[in-house]
Amino acid sequence: MSRELTTEPTRRRLTERQADTVRRLTDAAVAELRDAGYEGLTVRNVARRAGVAPATAYTYFASKNHLITEVFWRRLGALPPVDPGVTGVAAVLREIALLVSDEPELAAACTTAMLGTDPDVRELRIRIGLAIRERLRAALGRDDPKVLGALELAYAGALVHAGMGYTSYARMADRLAETAELILPDPE
């Protein structure tokens, strides 16, 4: 991922000052989630924590779902590039599954937020899906639509499964690695 993609919000390109404001807002959103949880999080409270006016926060984020999805997008974009032929599919699935696993409130909020229907969330969801597909394709070493589709479905299902509280995100990472082994043909 390029530096531009990790600092560019859904709505527009940013100056350095604007990028700093967005960074403060996304950092404040994570802190607010820790303290108030998803239900208690509001863009207004995040703005207060970030030291900006609510109107400024809404300039960048249409909703709390948009803001939380942006946090996930930025973390995904900050992952190191996949080294084709070295980084395995199971490792890619594991790193994506563990992206927010050390912060349970954020992990649960991401699951809920990314299912949001507002246009900015949909746009980020498309970007996230394409980035995950590209990471998986690079690790797979070939463009195999059926295998990629199966891996994507496994990831999406696992995310929802963990988001519903049926399993932990750490256990989900293990299960995804196991699933990758089942989906991928034996290299004999």
Side-chain angles (χ1 to χ4, degrees), residues 1 73 76-77 82 92 96 125-137:
M1 296 271 143
W73 168 242
L76 179 63
V82 173
V92 168
I96 296 168
R125 197 170 45 233
I126 289 167
R127 290 181 187 186
I128 289 166
L130 290 172
I132 290 171
R133 175 173 272 258
E134 180 52 33
R135 293 184 75 76
L136 288 169
R137 190 205 56 71

Side-chain angles (χ1 to χ4, degrees), residues 15-123:
T15 65
E16 280 193 42
R17 185 170 157 252
Q18 291 168 327
D20 180 61
T21 299
V22 170
R23 183 198 49 76
R24 288 189 353 245
L25 287 165
T26 55
D27 290 348
V30 174
E32 188 69 20
L33 276 169
R34 284 186 203 116
D35 292 345
Y38 176 77
E39 297 301 323
L41 183 133
T42 65
V43 174
R44 180 173 295 281
N45 289 343
V46 169
R48 184 179 316 114
R49 189 180 285 258
V52 302
T56 300
Y58 279 110
T59 298
Y60 299 104
F61 300 105
S63 65
K64 73 180 185 179
N65 287 342
H66 180 204
L67 177 58
I68 294 165
T69 304
E70 179 76 23
V71 170
F72 187 88
W73 168 242
R74 286 167 176 266
R75 289 189 178 193
L76 179 63
L79 290 174
V82 173
D83 190 355
V86 175
T87 308
V89 171
V92 168
L93 287 169
R94 179 178 296 284
E95 76 180 351
I96 296 168
L98 295 176
L99 201 53
V100 293
S101 67
D102 59 340
E103 299 174 80
E105 298 86 3
L106 176 59
C110 285
T111 301
T112 301
M114 286 194 279
L115 296 174
T117 59
D118 72 67
D120 293 310
V121 171
R122 279 195 304 262
E123 173 65 27

